[in-house]
Amino acid sequence: MNNSKGNVVSDVAKGFIKKKIILLLLGGSGCAFSAILTALPLFIALLVVLGIISGGDSSNGAGCISTQTVGEVCKSISVNGETMSVDDYVAHVITNEFGGAPEETLKAQAIASRSYGVAGAKKDSQGNCVVGDTSEKFQTYAVTASDRATQAAKDTSGMVLLDKDGNVARAEYSSNSLPNAYSTYGSTITMSERDLKIPRDWWEKNKTCSDSSLNKANSNKDAFGRTVYGCGHGRGMGQIAAKYLAEEKNYTYDQIIEYFYGKDSPYQWTLGSSNGTSSNCGSSLSTLSSYTLDHAGLKILNRTLKNSEISNLESYINSEVDKAGYGTGAGVAAAGQSLVYGLEQMGYYLGYCWGGDRSSVGVGKNWGAPSSSCNSDTNIHLYYGMDCSGFVSWAIRNGCNNSFGSEITTQMDHGSHIDVTNAKPGDIMLKSTHVRLVVKNNGDGTVITAESGGNAGDLHFSKHGNENGYNFIDMSSFYKKTCKSSR
Protein backbone atom coordinates (compact mmCIF):
# COMPACT_ATOMS: atom_id res chain seq x y z
CA MET A 1 0.00 0.00 0.00
CA ASN A 2 1.95 2.95 -1.18
CA ASN A 3 -0.27 5.85 -2.13
CA SER A 4 -0.32 9.03 -0.10
CA LYS A 5 -3.98 8.53 0.63
CA GLY A 6 -4.12 5.12 2.29
CA ASN A 7 -7.83 4.64 2.68
CA VAL A 8 -8.79 1.11 3.65
CA VAL A 9 -11.81 -1.13 3.80
CA SER A 10 -13.40 -1.90 7.16
CA ASP A 11 -14.09 -5.30 8.69
CA VAL A 12 -15.73 -8.20 6.93
CA ALA A 13 -19.48 -8.36 6.64
CA LYS A 14 -20.44 -11.70 8.05
CA GLY A 15 -22.79 -12.63 5.24
CA PHE A 16 -25.89 -11.66 3.40
CA ILE A 17 -29.17 -13.48 2.94
CA LYS A 18 -29.15 -15.61 -0.16
CA LYS A 19 -32.23 -15.80 -2.32
CA LYS A 20 -32.33 -18.34 -5.14
CA ILE A 21 -28.57 -18.44 -5.42
CA ILE A 22 -27.29 -19.77 -8.69
CA LEU A 23 -23.85 -20.95 -7.60
CA LEU A 24 -20.12 -21.16 -8.32
CA LEU A 25 -17.04 -19.59 -9.95
CA LEU A 26 -13.77 -17.78 -8.30
CA GLY A 27 -11.51 -14.67 -7.81
CA GLY A 28 -8.56 -12.89 -6.23
CA SER A 29 -6.67 -9.68 -5.62
CA GLY A 30 -3.31 -8.23 -4.72
CA CYS A 31 -1.57 -5.39 -2.97
CA ALA A 32 1.61 -3.84 -4.32
CA PHE A 33 3.02 -3.28 -0.86
CA SER A 34 6.22 -1.34 -0.41
CA ALA A 35 7.66 0.01 2.82
CA ILE A 36 4.32 -0.03 4.60
CA LEU A 37 3.99 -3.68 3.72
CA THR A 38 6.66 -4.69 6.18
CA ALA A 39 4.67 -3.11 8.97
CA LEU A 40 1.33 -4.57 7.94
CA PRO A 41 0.05 -8.07 8.52
CA LEU A 42 -0.61 -8.16 4.79
CA PHE A 43 -3.72 -10.11 5.11
CA ILE A 44 -6.11 -8.63 2.58
CA ALA A 45 -9.28 -9.24 0.87
CA LEU A 46 -12.46 -10.76 2.15
CA LEU A 47 -15.45 -11.13 0.02
CA VAL A 48 -18.87 -11.45 1.43
CA VAL A 49 -21.50 -10.60 -1.11
CA LEU A 50 -24.72 -12.47 -1.64
CA GLY A 51 -26.30 -13.91 -4.72
CA ILE A 52 -29.85 -12.64 -4.79
CA ILE A 53 -30.76 -13.31 -8.39
CA SER A 54 -33.08 -16.03 -9.56
CA GLY A 55 -31.71 -18.99 -11.43
CA GLY A 56 -33.72 -18.30 -14.54
CA ASP A 57 -32.16 -14.90 -15.02
CA SER A 58 -28.50 -15.81 -14.74
CA SER A 59 -26.46 -16.16 -17.87
CA ASN A 60 -24.16 -18.71 -16.30
CA GLY A 61 -26.07 -21.03 -14.06
CA ALA A 62 -25.42 -21.66 -10.44
CA GLY A 63 -24.12 -19.34 -7.80
CA CYS A 64 -23.42 -16.47 -10.13
CA ILE A 65 -23.62 -12.95 -8.75
CA SER A 66 -24.61 -10.24 -11.20
CA THR A 67 -23.58 -6.62 -11.41
CA GLN A 68 -27.13 -5.73 -10.41
CA THR A 69 -26.82 -7.89 -7.31
CA VAL A 70 -23.56 -6.24 -6.28
CA GLY A 71 -25.40 -2.94 -6.73
CA GLU A 72 -28.18 -4.18 -4.48
CA VAL A 73 -25.66 -4.91 -1.75
CA CYS A 74 -23.77 -1.64 -2.20
CA LYS A 75 -25.51 0.95 -4.35
CA SER A 76 -22.51 3.18 -3.72
CA ILE A 77 -19.29 3.19 -1.72
CA SER A 78 -18.07 6.12 0.36
CA VAL A 79 -14.45 6.68 1.37
CA ASN A 80 -13.71 9.60 3.70
CA GLY A 81 -16.93 11.30 2.66
CA GLU A 82 -16.37 10.80 -1.07
CA THR A 83 -19.10 8.69 -2.68
CA MET A 84 -18.80 6.73 -5.94
CA SER A 85 -20.00 3.60 -7.72
CA VAL A 86 -18.60 0.20 -6.80
CA ASP A 87 -16.59 -0.03 -10.01
CA ASP A 88 -15.21 3.50 -9.57
CA TYR A 89 -14.05 2.46 -6.11
CA VAL A 90 -12.44 -0.67 -7.54
CA ALA A 91 -10.58 1.42 -10.13
CA HIS A 92 -9.20 3.72 -7.40
CA VAL A 93 -8.09 0.75 -5.31
CA ILE A 94 -6.29 -1.19 -8.01
CA THR A 95 -4.57 1.96 -9.25
CA ASN A 96 -2.88 2.14 -5.88
CA GLU A 97 -2.46 -1.56 -5.21
CA PHE A 98 -0.83 -2.65 -8.46
CA GLY A 99 -1.40 0.05 -11.07
CA GLY A 100 1.56 -0.94 -13.24
CA ALA A 101 0.43 -4.54 -13.69
CA PRO A 102 -0.34 -6.07 -17.11
CA GLU A 103 -3.93 -5.82 -18.28
CA GLU A 104 -4.86 -9.40 -17.36
CA THR A 105 -3.32 -9.06 -13.89
CA LEU A 106 -5.23 -5.82 -13.33
CA LYS A 107 -8.47 -7.61 -14.17
CA ALA A 108 -7.69 -10.37 -11.68
CA GLN A 109 -6.99 -7.77 -9.02
CA ALA A 110 -10.20 -5.91 -9.87
CA ILE A 111 -12.23 -9.04 -9.11
CA ALA A 112 -10.68 -9.39 -5.68
CA SER A 113 -10.86 -5.69 -4.83
CA ARG A 114 -14.54 -5.53 -5.75
CA SER A 115 -15.43 -8.54 -3.66
CA TYR A 116 -13.31 -7.42 -0.77
CA GLY A 117 -14.59 -3.86 -0.76
CA VAL A 118 -18.26 -4.74 -0.86
CA ALA A 119 -17.76 -7.48 1.70
CA GLY A 120 -15.99 -5.32 4.22
CA ALA A 121 -18.12 -2.22 3.82
CA LYS A 122 -20.54 -1.09 6.48
CA LYS A 123 -23.95 -0.96 4.82
CA ASP A 124 -27.03 1.00 5.81
CA SER A 125 -30.61 -0.07 5.16
CA GLN A 126 -30.66 1.75 1.80
CA GLY A 127 -27.64 -0.16 0.52
CA ASN A 128 -25.21 2.75 0.81
CA CYS A 129 -21.79 1.43 1.86
CA VAL A 130 -18.91 3.04 3.71
CA VAL A 131 -15.32 1.78 3.90
CA GLY A 132 -13.03 2.96 6.65
CA ASP A 133 -9.46 4.21 6.60
CA THR A 134 -8.09 3.22 9.99
CA SER A 135 -7.58 -0.53 9.83
CA GLU A 136 -4.15 -1.79 8.77
CA LYS A 137 -5.65 -4.97 7.41
CA PHE A 138 -7.17 -3.74 4.17
CA GLN A 139 -6.49 -2.38 0.73
CA THR A 140 -5.46 1.19 -0.02
CA TYR A 141 -7.30 3.70 -2.15
CA ALA A 142 -5.75 6.11 -4.67
CA VAL A 143 -7.02 9.67 -5.04
CA THR A 144 -7.15 9.38 -8.84
CA ALA A 145 -7.92 6.26 -10.84
CA SER A 146 -5.86 5.49 -13.93
CA ASP A 147 -7.49 4.82 -17.30
CA ARG A 148 -6.13 1.26 -17.29
CA ALA A 149 -7.55 0.53 -13.86
CA THR A 150 -10.90 2.03 -14.83
CA GLN A 151 -11.06 -0.21 -17.89
CA ALA A 152 -10.12 -3.30 -15.85
CA ALA A 153 -12.92 -2.55 -13.39
CA LYS A 154 -15.36 -2.10 -16.27
CA ASP A 155 -14.25 -5.29 -18.03
CA THR A 156 -14.82 -7.36 -14.89
CA SER A 157 -17.87 -5.53 -13.59
CA GLY A 158 -19.90 -7.77 -11.29
CA MET A 159 -17.31 -10.54 -10.96
CA VAL A 160 -16.49 -11.89 -7.51
CA LEU A 161 -15.15 -15.07 -5.89
CA LEU A 162 -17.43 -17.73 -4.45
CA ASP A 163 -16.85 -20.66 -2.16
CA LYS A 164 -18.45 -24.07 -2.58
CA ASP A 165 -21.59 -22.90 -0.76
CA GLY A 166 -22.09 -19.92 -3.06
CA ASN A 167 -20.85 -17.32 -0.59
CA VAL A 168 -18.25 -14.80 -1.63
CA ALA A 169 -14.93 -16.04 -0.32
CA ARG A 170 -11.99 -14.50 1.47
CA ALA A 171 -9.22 -13.84 -1.06
CA GLU A 172 -5.89 -12.88 0.46
CA TYR A 173 -3.03 -11.67 -1.73
CA SER A 174 0.44 -10.23 -1.29
CA SER A 175 3.35 -8.69 -3.14
CA ASN A 176 6.75 -10.45 -3.01
CA SER A 177 6.78 -13.56 -0.79
CA LEU A 178 9.36 -16.35 -0.68
CA PRO A 179 9.47 -19.54 1.41
CA ASN A 180 13.26 -19.16 1.87
CA ALA A 181 15.72 -16.29 2.16
CA TYR A 182 16.49 -14.65 -1.18
CA SER A 183 20.23 -15.17 -0.71
CA THR A 184 19.76 -18.96 -0.83
CA TYR A 185 18.44 -19.00 -4.39
CA GLY A 186 20.31 -19.62 -7.60
CA SER A 187 19.00 -18.98 -11.11
CA THR A 188 15.35 -19.67 -10.16
CA ILE A 189 13.26 -17.92 -7.50
CA THR A 190 10.44 -19.81 -5.74
CA MET A 191 7.31 -17.91 -4.75
CA SER A 192 5.40 -18.89 -1.62
CA GLU A 193 2.14 -18.83 -3.57
CA ARG A 194 1.86 -22.27 -5.21
CA ASP A 195 5.69 -22.59 -5.16
CA LEU A 196 5.79 -20.94 -8.57
CA LYS A 197 9.29 -20.92 -10.10
CA ILE A 198 10.42 -17.64 -11.70
CA PRO A 199 13.74 -17.06 -13.52
CA ARG A 200 16.03 -14.90 -11.45
CA ASP A 201 16.78 -12.45 -14.26
CA TRP A 202 13.05 -11.73 -14.73
CA TRP A 203 12.60 -11.41 -10.97
CA GLU A 204 15.43 -8.90 -10.63
CA LYS A 205 13.76 -6.63 -13.17
CA ASN A 206 10.29 -6.82 -11.60
CA LYS A 207 10.59 -7.29 -7.84
CA THR A 208 9.13 -4.52 -5.68
CA CYS A 209 10.59 -5.63 -2.36
CA SER A 210 14.05 -4.74 -1.05
CA ASP A 211 16.75 -7.40 -0.75
CA SER A 212 16.98 -6.75 2.97
CA SER A 213 13.31 -7.63 3.36
CA LEU A 214 13.66 -10.65 1.07
CA ASN A 215 16.43 -12.00 3.32
CA LYS A 216 14.55 -11.42 6.57
CA ALA A 217 11.92 -13.83 7.85
CA ASN A 218 8.73 -12.11 8.94
CA SER A 219 6.03 -13.22 11.34
CA ASN A 220 3.61 -14.32 8.64
CA LYS A 221 2.80 -17.85 7.48
CA ASP A 222 2.02 -18.85 3.91
CA ALA A 223 -0.79 -21.15 2.77
CA PHE A 224 1.33 -24.17 3.69
CA GLY A 225 2.13 -22.92 7.19
CA ARG A 226 5.71 -21.88 6.40
CA THR A 227 7.40 -18.71 7.62
CA VAL A 228 7.84 -16.37 4.67
CA TYR A 229 10.49 -13.90 3.56
CA GLY A 230 9.87 -10.62 1.80
CA CYS A 231 6.91 -8.26 1.50
CA GLY A 232 3.80 -10.31 2.03
CA HIS A 233 2.26 -13.32 3.69
CA GLY A 234 2.47 -15.76 0.77
CA ARG A 235 -1.22 -16.64 0.73
CA GLY A 236 -3.64 -16.39 -2.16
CA MET A 237 -2.42 -14.51 -5.23
CA GLY A 238 1.10 -13.13 -5.42
CA GLN A 239 1.28 -9.92 -7.43
CA ILE A 240 4.70 -10.48 -8.91
CA ALA A 241 3.79 -14.11 -9.60
CA ALA A 242 0.58 -13.00 -11.32
CA LYS A 243 2.52 -10.48 -13.40
CA TYR A 244 4.92 -13.22 -14.45
CA LEU A 245 2.07 -15.54 -15.50
CA ALA A 246 0.49 -12.78 -17.59
CA GLU A 247 3.68 -11.47 -19.23
CA GLU A 248 5.67 -14.64 -19.72
CA LYS A 249 3.04 -17.41 -19.82
CA ASN A 250 0.22 -15.45 -21.52
CA TYR A 251 -2.29 -16.30 -18.79
CA THR A 252 -5.65 -14.54 -19.04
CA TYR A 253 -7.21 -13.02 -15.93
CA ASP A 254 -9.50 -16.01 -15.34
CA GLN A 255 -6.56 -18.39 -15.68
CA ILE A 256 -4.65 -16.32 -13.13
CA ILE A 257 -7.62 -16.50 -10.80
CA GLU A 258 -7.95 -20.24 -11.35
CA TYR A 259 -4.22 -20.77 -10.72
CA PHE A 260 -4.16 -19.04 -7.35
CA TYR A 261 -7.66 -19.75 -6.05
CA GLY A 262 -9.09 -22.61 -8.13
CA LYS A 263 -9.79 -26.27 -7.56
CA ASP A 264 -6.12 -27.32 -7.49
CA SER A 265 -5.11 -24.55 -5.07
CA PRO A 266 -5.43 -24.62 -1.26
CA TYR A 267 -8.65 -22.58 -1.63
CA GLN A 268 -10.83 -24.19 -4.30
CA TRP A 269 -12.85 -21.04 -4.91
CA THR A 270 -14.70 -20.23 -8.10
CA LEU A 271 -15.46 -17.12 -10.13
CA GLY A 272 -19.00 -15.81 -10.03
CA SER A 273 -20.12 -13.45 -12.76
CA SER A 274 -23.10 -12.16 -14.67
CA ASN A 275 -21.58 -12.52 -18.13
CA GLY A 276 -20.56 -16.15 -18.37
CA THR A 277 -16.82 -15.68 -18.54
CA SER A 278 -15.25 -18.79 -17.03
CA SER A 279 -18.29 -19.12 -14.83
CA ASN A 280 -20.05 -22.34 -14.09
CA CYS A 281 -23.44 -22.65 -12.53
CA GLY A 282 -25.60 -25.44 -11.32
CA SER A 283 -23.06 -27.40 -9.31
CA SER A 284 -19.74 -27.35 -7.56
CA LEU A 285 -17.78 -27.55 -10.80
CA SER A 286 -15.55 -24.55 -11.32
CA THR A 287 -14.01 -24.87 -14.76
CA LEU A 288 -14.20 -26.85 -17.96
CA SER A 289 -11.33 -29.01 -16.75
CA SER A 290 -13.60 -30.29 -13.98
CA TYR A 291 -15.69 -32.12 -16.54
CA THR A 292 -14.95 -35.45 -18.15
CA LEU A 293 -15.93 -34.71 -21.73
CA ASP A 294 -17.37 -37.54 -23.82
CA HIS A 295 -17.18 -39.89 -20.78
CA ALA A 296 -13.55 -40.73 -21.56
CA GLY A 297 -12.06 -43.19 -19.10
CA LEU A 298 -15.41 -44.12 -17.55
CA LYS A 299 -17.37 -47.32 -17.91
CA ILE A 300 -21.04 -47.85 -18.67
CA LEU A 301 -23.27 -48.42 -15.66
CA ASN A 302 -23.75 -52.18 -15.90
CA ARG A 303 -25.48 -52.82 -12.59
CA THR A 304 -28.26 -51.29 -10.57
CA LEU A 305 -27.09 -48.94 -7.85
CA LYS A 306 -27.18 -49.86 -4.18
CA ASN A 307 -29.72 -48.08 -1.99
CA SER A 308 -26.92 -46.18 -0.26
CA GLU A 309 -25.50 -45.08 -3.62
CA ILE A 310 -28.93 -43.94 -4.78
CA SER A 311 -29.48 -42.02 -1.55
CA ASN A 312 -26.10 -40.28 -1.76
CA LEU A 313 -26.52 -39.39 -5.42
CA GLU A 314 -30.04 -38.06 -4.90
CA SER A 315 -28.89 -35.97 -1.94
CA TYR A 316 -26.15 -34.45 -4.09
CA ILE A 317 -28.54 -33.74 -6.98
CA ASN A 318 -31.16 -32.16 -4.70
CA SER A 319 -28.53 -30.04 -2.96
CA GLU A 320 -27.20 -28.70 -6.26
CA VAL A 321 -30.71 -27.99 -7.56
CA ASP A 322 -31.61 -26.12 -4.38
CA LYS A 323 -28.44 -24.04 -4.59
CA ALA A 324 -29.15 -23.18 -8.20
CA GLY A 325 -32.79 -22.36 -7.56
CA TYR A 326 -35.50 -25.00 -7.67
CA GLY A 327 -38.12 -24.23 -10.28
CA THR A 328 -35.77 -22.28 -12.54
CA GLY A 329 -33.76 -22.93 -15.66
CA ALA A 330 -30.60 -23.01 -13.57
CA GLY A 331 -32.24 -25.62 -11.37
CA VAL A 332 -32.97 -27.76 -14.42
CA ALA A 333 -29.36 -27.41 -15.55
CA ALA A 334 -28.17 -28.29 -12.05
CA ALA A 335 -30.26 -31.47 -12.06
CA GLY A 336 -28.81 -32.66 -15.35
CA GLN A 337 -25.28 -31.52 -14.57
CA SER A 338 -25.12 -33.07 -11.11
CA LEU A 339 -26.50 -36.40 -12.37
CA VAL A 340 -23.79 -36.68 -15.04
CA TYR A 341 -21.07 -35.45 -12.70
CA GLY A 342 -22.26 -37.55 -9.76
CA LEU A 343 -22.09 -40.71 -11.86
CA GLU A 344 -18.67 -39.65 -13.14
CA GLN A 345 -17.37 -39.50 -9.58
CA MET A 346 -18.50 -43.10 -9.18
CA GLY A 347 -16.65 -44.06 -12.36
CA TYR A 348 -19.73 -44.55 -14.54
CA TYR A 349 -21.82 -43.08 -17.30
CA LEU A 350 -25.45 -44.02 -17.94
CA GLY A 351 -26.17 -45.98 -21.11
CA TYR A 352 -28.26 -44.62 -23.95
CA CYS A 353 -31.66 -46.27 -24.08
CA TRP A 354 -34.00 -45.30 -26.89
CA GLY A 355 -37.43 -44.71 -25.37
CA GLY A 356 -35.94 -45.22 -21.91
CA ASP A 357 -36.67 -43.71 -18.55
CA ARG A 358 -37.79 -40.06 -18.50
CA SER A 359 -40.11 -39.82 -15.53
CA SER A 360 -38.07 -40.85 -12.48
CA VAL A 361 -38.06 -38.51 -9.53
CA GLY A 362 -34.50 -38.90 -8.42
CA VAL A 363 -32.28 -41.78 -9.46
CA GLY A 364 -33.95 -44.61 -11.36
CA LYS A 365 -33.74 -47.87 -9.46
CA ASN A 366 -33.59 -49.80 -12.72
CA TRP A 367 -30.78 -47.78 -14.30
CA GLY A 368 -27.97 -50.12 -15.27
CA ALA A 369 -30.18 -53.22 -15.21
CA PRO A 370 -29.85 -55.73 -18.07
CA SER A 371 -32.26 -54.85 -20.85
CA SER A 372 -32.94 -56.04 -24.37
CA SER A 373 -35.23 -53.10 -25.16
CA CYS A 374 -32.62 -50.32 -25.35
CA ASN A 375 -31.97 -50.67 -29.06
CA SER A 376 -32.04 -48.17 -31.90
CA ASP A 377 -30.52 -47.77 -35.33
CA THR A 378 -27.21 -46.47 -34.04
CA ASN A 379 -27.10 -47.40 -30.34
CA ILE A 380 -27.42 -50.87 -28.92
CA HIS A 381 -26.83 -51.37 -25.21
CA LEU A 382 -27.77 -54.10 -22.83
CA TYR A 383 -28.26 -51.80 -19.82
CA TYR A 384 -31.22 -49.58 -19.05
CA GLY A 385 -30.81 -45.80 -19.21
CA MET A 386 -32.23 -42.76 -21.02
CA ASP A 387 -32.34 -41.37 -24.54
CA CYS A 388 -31.75 -37.70 -25.38
CA SER A 389 -35.26 -36.34 -24.87
CA GLY A 390 -35.69 -38.65 -21.90
CA PHE A 391 -32.68 -37.13 -20.19
CA VAL A 392 -33.81 -33.54 -20.78
CA SER A 393 -37.29 -34.51 -19.57
CA TRP A 394 -35.75 -36.08 -16.47
CA ALA A 395 -33.76 -32.89 -15.75
CA ILE A 396 -36.90 -30.75 -16.09
CA ARG A 397 -38.86 -33.13 -13.88
CA ASN A 398 -36.19 -33.03 -11.16
CA GLY A 399 -35.19 -29.40 -11.49
CA CYS A 400 -38.58 -27.72 -11.57
CA ASN A 401 -41.32 -30.27 -10.84
CA ASN A 402 -42.60 -30.43 -14.40
CA SER A 403 -42.97 -33.87 -15.95
CA PHE A 404 -42.61 -32.48 -19.49
CA GLY A 405 -45.05 -35.11 -20.65
CA SER A 406 -43.73 -37.67 -23.11
CA GLU A 407 -42.34 -35.28 -25.67
CA ILE A 408 -39.82 -36.33 -28.28
CA THR A 409 -37.28 -33.98 -29.83
CA THR A 410 -39.58 -32.64 -32.55
CA GLN A 411 -41.98 -31.40 -29.83
CA MET A 412 -39.43 -29.66 -27.59
CA ASP A 413 -39.13 -26.27 -29.28
CA HIS A 414 -40.71 -24.19 -26.49
CA GLY A 415 -39.02 -20.82 -26.91
CA SER A 416 -37.34 -18.32 -29.16
CA HIS A 417 -34.24 -19.24 -31.13
CA ILE A 418 -31.08 -17.56 -29.84
CA ASP A 419 -27.37 -17.46 -30.64
CA VAL A 420 -24.92 -19.56 -28.63
CA THR A 421 -23.56 -16.41 -26.97
CA ASN A 422 -26.93 -15.88 -25.30
CA ALA A 423 -27.50 -19.49 -24.27
CA LYS A 424 -27.70 -20.03 -20.52
CA PRO A 425 -28.05 -23.05 -18.23
CA GLY A 426 -31.43 -24.67 -18.72
CA ASP A 427 -31.70 -23.72 -22.39
CA ILE A 428 -31.53 -26.51 -24.94
CA MET A 429 -29.62 -27.19 -28.14
CA LEU A 430 -32.09 -28.81 -30.51
CA LYS A 431 -32.50 -30.39 -33.91
CA SER A 432 -35.20 -32.75 -35.14
CA THR A 433 -33.33 -35.88 -34.07
CA HIS A 434 -31.39 -34.82 -30.98
CA VAL A 435 -31.50 -32.49 -27.97
CA ARG A 436 -28.81 -31.33 -25.53
CA LEU A 437 -29.17 -29.49 -22.21
CA VAL A 438 -27.00 -26.39 -21.77
CA VAL A 439 -25.27 -26.43 -18.36
CA LYS A 440 -22.59 -23.77 -18.83
CA ASN A 441 -21.81 -20.84 -21.12
CA ASN A 442 -18.04 -20.57 -21.56
CA GLY A 443 -18.24 -16.96 -22.69
CA ASP A 444 -16.15 -17.68 -25.79
CA GLY A 445 -18.85 -18.73 -28.27
CA THR A 446 -19.13 -22.24 -26.86
CA VAL A 447 -21.22 -23.98 -24.25
CA ILE A 448 -20.98 -27.15 -22.21
CA THR A 449 -23.98 -29.41 -22.63
CA ALA A 450 -25.13 -32.59 -20.93
CA GLU A 451 -26.74 -35.09 -23.26
CA SER A 452 -27.58 -38.72 -23.79
CA GLY A 453 -26.51 -39.92 -27.22
CA GLY A 454 -24.89 -37.70 -29.81
CA ASN A 455 -21.43 -38.33 -31.19
CA ALA A 456 -20.11 -40.00 -28.03
CA GLY A 457 -23.33 -41.84 -27.26
CA ASP A 458 -24.68 -42.44 -23.77
CA LEU A 459 -24.90 -39.79 -21.02
CA HIS A 460 -21.99 -37.34 -21.02
CA PHE A 461 -20.76 -33.74 -21.14
CA SER A 462 -19.73 -32.20 -24.45
CA LYS A 463 -18.64 -28.82 -25.81
CA HIS A 464 -20.39 -27.04 -28.70
CA GLY A 465 -20.78 -23.77 -30.56
CA ASN A 466 -23.25 -22.86 -33.27
CA GLU A 467 -23.68 -25.96 -35.45
CA ASN A 468 -25.56 -26.64 -38.67
CA GLY A 469 -28.95 -28.16 -38.04
CA TYR A 470 -29.13 -27.12 -34.39
CA ASN A 471 -30.98 -24.23 -32.77
CA PHE A 472 -30.40 -22.89 -29.28
CA ILE A 473 -33.78 -22.51 -27.61
CA ASP A 474 -34.41 -19.94 -24.87
CA MET A 475 -36.47 -21.94 -22.36
CA SER A 476 -36.88 -19.24 -19.71
CA SER A 477 -40.50 -18.38 -20.60
CA PHE A 478 -41.43 -22.06 -20.63
CA TYR A 479 -39.96 -22.57 -17.17
CA LYS A 480 -41.69 -19.50 -15.78
CA LYS A 481 -45.03 -20.74 -17.06
CA THR A 482 -44.75 -24.40 -16.13
CA CYS A 483 -42.25 -24.89 -13.32
CA LYS A 484 -43.28 -25.15 -9.70
CA SER A 485 -41.32 -23.43 -6.97
CA SER A 486 -41.20 -26.46 -4.68
CA ARG A 487 -41.10 -30.23 -4.90
Side-chain angles (χ1 to χ4, degrees):
M1 307 176 179
N2 46 19
N3 189 275
S4 59
K5 186 174 182 179
N7 297 358
V8 292
V9 186
S10 76
D11 223 336
V12 183
K14 296 223 168 38
F16 296 95
I17 301 170
K18 290 180 285 183
K19 180 182 179 183
K20 292 185 180 177
I21 285 188
I22 318 174
L23 183 83
L24 290 217
L25 303 328
L26 95 171
S29 92
C31 278
F33 300 108
S34 60
I36 298 180
L37 238 163
T38 59
L40 299 182
L42 304 188
F43 122 68
I44 293 173
L46 273 129
L47 336 167
V48 188
V49 176
L50 66 173
I52 310 185
I53 58 175
S54 73
D57 294 330
S58 168
S59 62
N60 329 71
C64 302
I65 294 179
S66 72
T67 305
Q68 178 184 9
T69 303
V70 171
E72 290 171 350
V73 178
C74 284
K75 296 178 180 177
S76 64
I77 286 185
S78 295
V79 185
N80 279 356
E82 186 178 357
T83 301
M84 65 203 71
S85 70
V86 173
D87 282 349
D88 282 345
Y89 169 74
V90 169
H92 283 266
V93 167
I94 64 177
T95 296
N96 195 62
E97 294 289 5
F98 203 19
E103 178 182 357
E104 296 302 308
T105 307
L106 274 183
K107 291 179 183 178
Q109 178 158 345
I111 292 167
S113 295
R114 176 180 301 104
S115 305
Y116 174 68
V118 174
K122 294 181 179 180
K123 182 172 68 73
D124 64 22
S125 58
Q126 284 74 46
N128 301 308
C129 297
V130 178
V131 295
D133 63 355
T134 57
S135 170
E136 65 180 9
K137 296 180 179 180
F138 299 102
Q139 54 200 353
T140 57
Y141 166 80
V143 177
T144 303
S146 70
D147 291 341
R148 295 177 68 248
T150 299
Q151 188 62 47
K154 179 180 178 181
D155 289 343
T156 61
S157 184
M159 295 185 188
V160 289
L161 280 176
L162 301 173
D163 64 20
K164 63 183 178 62
D165 296 318
N167 299 310
V168 182
R170 171 179 172 174
E172 296 184 78
Y173 61 90
S174 64
S175 182
N176 300 244
S177 304
L178 311 178
N180 302 101
Y182 182 51
S183 59
T184 65
Y185 288 100
S187 60
T188 301
I189 308 298
T190 300
M191 306 301 297
S192 287
E193 300 87 3
R194 302 298 306 272
D195 285 342
L196 179 66
K197 310 294 184 184
I198 294 179
R200 191 184 191 102
D201 57 352
W202 188 94
W203 167 267
E204 292 285 358
K205 296 176 183 177
N206 290 276
K207 64 182 180 181
T208 59
C209 191
S210 66
D211 286 358
S212 60
S213 294
L214 290 166
N215 283 313
K216 181 181 179 181
N218 60 48
S219 60
N220 296 305
K221 301 291 183 180
D222 66 15
F224 306 100
R226 303 172 298 194
T227 297
V228 295
Y229 295 75
C231 301
H233 46 45
R235 298 189 296 271
M237 183 177 73
Q239 289 184 314
I240 295 301
K243 182 179 181 181
Y244 174 75
L245 291 177
E247 286 189 349
E248 302 299 318
K249 300 298 183 180
N250 296 317
Y251 273 41
T252 59
Y253 74 91
D254 50 316
Q255 289 174 320
I256 294 171
I257 291 295
E258 176 72 13
Y259 180 85
F260 289 109
Y261 300 103
K263 64 183 181 62
D264 295 325
S265 78
Y267 308 97
Q268 300 184 13
W269 296 336
T270 55
L271 179 62
S273 166
S274 61
N275 66 6
T277 304
S278 97
S279 294
N280 170 58
C281 299
S283 90
S284 54
L285 308 179
S286 62
T287 63
L288 179 59
S289 60
S290 299
Y291 297 85
T292 299
L293 294 177
D294 298 338
H295 54 59
L298 304 172
K299 63 181 180 180
I300 190 170
L301 183 63
N302 58 1
R303 63 176 179 85
T304 56
L305 297 175
K306 300 174 183 178
N307 288 337
S308 59
E309 291 174 319
I310 291 175
S311 178
N312 289 338
L313 183 54
E314 287 181 344
S315 294
Y316 169 64
I317 293 169
N318 289 338
S319 173
E320 294 303 302
V321 171
D322 288 341
K323 290 174 184 177
Y326 191 89
T328 68
V332 171
Q337 180 174 341
S338 55
L339 171 60
V340 182
Y341 184 68
L343 287 171
E344 282 189 357
Q345 300 312 294
M346 300 168 66
Y348 293 108
Y349 60 87
L350 188 65
Y352 178 90
C353 182
W354 187 79
D357 181 33
R358 66 175 60 236
S359 59
S360 292
V361 177
V363 176
K365 292 180 172 56
N366 59 343
W367 292 353
S371 175
S372 60
S373 62
C374 295
N375 301 335
S376 73
D377 296 348
T378 57
N379 295 278
I380 300 177
H381 285 309
L382 301 179
Y383 308 104
Y384 196 67
M386 292 186 282
D387 62 12
C388 62
S389 60
F391 166 67
V392 173
S393 298
W394 178 92
I396 294 173
R397 177 70 183 87
N398 286 269
C400 81
N401 201 4
N402 183 307
S403 66
F404 211 43
S406 57
E407 293 185 341
I408 59 177
T409 54
T410 55
Q411 301 170 318
M412 299 179 79
D413 190 345
H414 288 288
S416 58
H417 294 190
I418 55 177
D419 186 75
V420 62
T421 56
N422 296 315
K424 58 190 178 299
D427 289 342
I428 61 175
M429 186 176 178
L430 178 69
K431 67 177 181 179
S432 61
T433 57
H434 191 53
V435 62
R436 298 167 174 143
L437 178 67
V438 176
V439 297
K440 177 187 175 184
N441 190 316
N442 294 317
D444 61 359
T446 65
V447 296
I448 301 299
T449 67
E451 62 179 310
S452 185
N455 293 335
D458 310 300
L459 189 59
H460 64 284
F461 291 119
S462 56
K463 182 178 180 179
H464 302 279
N466 286 320
E467 296 178 7
N468 290 336
Y470 280 93
N471 291 305
F472 284 93
I473 312 299
D474 182 353
M475 296 288 285
S476 55
S477 295
F478 174 81
Y479 294 138
K480 288 178 181 179
K481 291 178 182 177
T482 63
C483 285
K484 299 176 178 61
S485 59
S486 62
R487 290 181 175 81

